[in-house]
Amino acid sequence: MAEDERSRVAPESSSSPNPNPCPICLGPITQDSYLDQCFHKFCFNCIVRWTNIIASKHSCGPSSVKCPLCKTENLSIVYGFDGSSFQRHYVNRDLRNSEFFSEAHRYRLKCYYTEPGNLADKVKVSSYWKSHKYRQQNRWLHDWLRREIQAVTQEEDVDIIVHHIFGVIDSFRRDAVKHSKISTETKQEEFKLLVSQAVRPFLMGRSDRFVYELELFLASGLKIDAFDRVYIKHLGWNIPEISKGEEEEEEPDGTHEHEPSIPYLYILDQDSDDN
């Protein structure tokens, strides 16, 4: 009788252990996360705590950490992979306290995880191309590119990337002036392809969305702060630091109020401890 009971329990108990537990907590992995060099997998909270503990043992916080399994040096934790893009939490760096990563950077990063709705129609992107405004210089483009790349990569030193992308855009503009007989549709597709190819090594899965955001900014014809206010108002967000201004900026023609947009995913580099 006892043997029969054991035989009934044995298969159930043998299948209960998790075949791929988190190496730190030994439980099921929550929020899959990987170290960027060895690609060992952990719970996000577990590996962030691990890196914080290691960093706290040094008087000067290290910029890398050894994997608890293979001892390989890693610079960051990769997480939030959605099939085309991912997030990174860098060792010993908290963007919440970073001087360069402002509220405006956070808002721009948040935009990349939010459906923009009909904003392209509001700023009249199609009219921007049909009226050949793409041949004109935009005096605020360089500063916008710098902040945008900083926000998306969550890196402060992006001067080389910005210089490269700005050069591609300016070269396209000057070439468009010389070859004015090429159709608008062809020029728009050429622009999107050139910029996408230029940013893909740096932004990877966010390259196409970057091109879309770039078109919105250029087509709006607005200064950076005015563009921000129009964008935030369109999405129905409340960001006082950005929304307020000395006077109400004129929005592009055809602007209409609508329900607030809600981000479908918003993960920022931080230790999100639910406990």
Side-chain angles (χ1 to χ4, degrees), residues 214-241:
L214 173 62
E215 277 195 293
L216 289 180
F217 176 70
L218 292 174
S220 74
L222 298 171
K223 296 179 181 180
I224 296 175
D225 55 351
F227 175 75
D228 289 348
R229 287 193 284 271
V230 169
Y231 205 119
I232 290 170
K233 184 177 180 180
H234 168 78
L235 295 180
W237 292 347
N238 180 24
I239 308 178
E241 294 86 345

Side-chain angles (χ1 to χ4, degrees), residues 106-160:
R106 295 178 185 279
Y107 132 71
R108 287 309 304 166
L109 178 59
K110 187 177 180 180
C111 291
Y112 279 73
Y113 295 99
T114 306
E115 292 291 354
N118 64 336
L119 189 53
D121 294 333
K122 289 188 175 183
V123 300
K124 296 189 175 181
V125 171
S126 60
S127 176
Y128 169 78
W129 289 99
K130 291 177 180 178
S131 61
H132 306 294
K133 291 182 180 179
Y134 58 88
R135 300 176 187 171
Q136 303 172 4
Q137 285 186 317
N138 185 302
R139 69 183 73 178
W140 306 289
L141 177 59
H142 191 277
D143 290 339
W144 185 88
L145 286 173
R146 178 179 173 79
R147 187 190 67 172
E148 196 77 358
I149 298 299
Q150 284 181 332
V152 178
T153 63
Q154 300 174 40
E155 293 282 357
E156 182 175 11
D157 186 8
V158 297
D159 289 346
I160 295 177

Side-chain angles (χ1 to χ4, degrees), residues 3 9 30 40 114 125 144 240 251 254 260:
E3 291 181 0
V9 174
T30 57
H40 278 124
T114 306
V125 171
W144 185 88
E251 295 189 358

Side-chain angles (χ1 to χ4, degrees), residues 120-272:
D121 294 333
K122 289 188 175 183
V123 300
K124 296 189 175 181
V125 171
S126 60
S127 176
Y128 169 78
W129 289 99
K130 291 177 180 178
S131 61
H132 306 294
K133 291 182 180 179
Y134 58 88
R135 300 176 187 171
Q136 303 172 4
Q137 285 186 317
N138 185 302
R139 69 183 73 178
W140 306 289
L141 177 59
H142 191 277
D143 290 339
W144 185 88
L145 286 173
R146 178 179 173 79
R147 187 190 67 172
E148 196 77 358
I149 298 299
Q150 284 181 332
V152 178
T153 63
Q154 300 174 40
E155 293 282 357
E156 182 175 11
D157 186 8
V158 297
D159 289 346
I160 295 177
I161 304 175
V162 172
H163 179 75
H164 172 57
I165 298 172
F166 185 84
V168 169
I169 296 172
D170 196 53
S171 177
F172 167 84
R173 182 190 62 79
R174 287 185 277 107
D175 183 71
V177 173
K178 295 178 183 178
H179 303 88
S180 57
K181 294 183 179 180
I182 299 176
S183 70
T184 299
E185 293 77 10
T186 300
K187 295 306 295 182
Q188 183 178 10
E189 290 305 313
E190 180 186 350
F191 173 83
K192 293 166 70 173
L193 179 61
L194 286 172
V195 176
S196 179
Q197 290 176 340
V199 302
R200 196 165 298 279
F202 313 104
L203 305 188
M204 294 171 286
R206 297 198 183 100
S207 300
D208 291 341
R209 180 59 185 267
F210 173 85
V211 174
Y212 175 84
E213 296 293 329
L214 173 62
E215 277 195 293
L216 289 180
F217 176 70
L218 292 174
S220 74
L222 298 171
K223 296 179 181 180
I224 296 175
D225 55 351
F227 175 75
D228 289 348
R229 287 193 284 271
V230 169
Y231 205 119
I232 290 170
K233 184 177 180 180
H234 168 78
L235 295 180
W237 292 347
N238 180 24
I239 308 178
E241 294 86 345
I242 300 172
S243 301
K244 64 182 179 182
E246 294 182 2
E247 58 184 28
E248 190 70 18
E249 297 283 349
E250 288 189 10
E251 295 189 358
D253 294 338
T255 303
H256 303 284
E257 298 290 341
H258 67 86
E259 292 300 316
S261 297
I262 301 174
Y264 58 83
L265 176 63
Y266 179 32
I267 305 175
L268 187 61
D269 284 352
Q270 59 185 3
D271 184 359
S272 54

Side-chain angles (χ1 to χ4, degrees), residues 75-123:
L75 299 175
S76 66
I77 301 165
V78 176
Y79 70 103
F81 181 67
D82 62 4
S84 60
S85 62
F86 57 86
Q87 291 295 305
R88 279 191 176 185
H89 176 97
Y90 285 88
V91 173
N92 198 35
R93 194 183 77 178
D94 187 353
L95 289 175
R96 289 171 294 182
N97 301 320
S98 174
E99 293 182 0
F100 93 89
F101 207 79
S102 64
E103 193 63 40
H105 286 93
R106 295 178 185 279
Y107 132 71
R108 287 309 304 166
L109 178 59
K110 187 177 180 180
C111 291
Y112 279 73
Y113 295 99
T114 306
E115 292 291 354
N118 64 336
L119 189 53
D121 294 333
K122 289 188 175 183
V123 300

